């Protein structure tokens, strides 16, 4: 997590005053253990440009922050938080975030890639509106978030989705309406004549599916790069033999 320090901000009387600041970001405490990432330049009815984040090139939003000995999860990105931040090229939204506000990244014309955490359940309308050069959006969740209208208007990004989630993303209204290209990101391969394996980096689960015998591996097998991270293994009952070392 990131250690927060109190901030004294010189702001006009109508701007949204944050409770704390750390590094490049400002936060508003919205619950016992939750904060919202906010932009103090914005008020409750309009977005201001240039804003506090106008010079950012990379926005790597933290999942947790600490303030006054309390740890808070960053769960929300407010509407218009990064409005017209044209220098932004990359955004990473952590798994702690559940909601992205309307027009949160609208007008970020230099943006090329976005990573959206697995627990985001809603993305507000116009969230990435006029992000002309947005090439790739990586969704970490296996369930697509609910989306408002025109979230990727004036861009045509490729969606990268978790292994096995292609069909559920392809069936969403927005994917069918705009025909976005969708790719699955899978770690895995063959481990027998009719067996395949996949590894989930988020859950640390190794899954083996198919029929008949697994190859007799000497050493750690094809998942060797992840053997120290694996916490659970699932396999189909039709398998005859499994050897993991």
């Amino acid at each position: 997590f990131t250690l927060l320090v109190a901030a004294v901000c010189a702001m006009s009387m109508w701007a949204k005053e944050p409770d704390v600041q750390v590094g490049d970001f400002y936060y508003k405490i919205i619950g016992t253990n939750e904060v919202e990432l906010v932009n103090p330049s914005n008020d409750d009815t309009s977005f201001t440009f240039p804003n506090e984040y106008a010079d950012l090139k990379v926005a790597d939003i933290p999942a947790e922050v600490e303030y006054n000995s309390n740890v808070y999860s960053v769960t929300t990105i407010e509407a218009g938080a990064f409005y017209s931040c044209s220098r932004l090229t990359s955004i990473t939204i952590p798994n702690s975030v559940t909601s992205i506000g309307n027009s949160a990244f609208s007008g970020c014309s230099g943006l090329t890639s976005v990573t959206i955490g697995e627990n985001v359940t809603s993305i507000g309308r116009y969230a990435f509106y006029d992000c002309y050069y947005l090439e790739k959006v990586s969704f970490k969740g296996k369930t697509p978030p609910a989306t408002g209208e025109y979230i990727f208007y004036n861009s045509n990004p490729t969606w990268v989705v978790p292994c096995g989630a292609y069909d559920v993303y392809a069936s969403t209204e927005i994917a069918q309406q705009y025909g976005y290209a969708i790719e699955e990101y899978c770690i895995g391969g063959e481990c027998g004549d009719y067996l395949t394996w996949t590894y989930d980096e988020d859950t640390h689960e190794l899954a083996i599916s198919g029929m008949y015998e697994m190859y007799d591996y000497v050493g750690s097998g094809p998942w060797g790069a992840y053997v120290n991270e694996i916490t659970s293994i699932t396999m189909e009952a039709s398998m005859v033999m499994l050897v993991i070392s």
Side-chain angles (χ1 to χ4, degrees), residues 1-7 18-22 27 29 32 35 64-72:
F1 57 81
T2 307
L3 182 63
L4 285 176
V5 294
D19 293 307
V20 287
Q21 176 192 359
V22 59
Y27 302 93
I29 297 173
T32 305
V35 292
E64 293 182 339
V65 292
E66 182 179 344
Y67 176 65
N68 282 349
S69 300
N70 294 317
V71 177
Y72 298 89

Side-chain angles (χ1 to χ4, degrees), residues 190-191 197 217 220-226:
E190 294 184 355
C191 56
W197 69 276
Y217 293 109
S220 58
W223 43 78
Y226 312 99

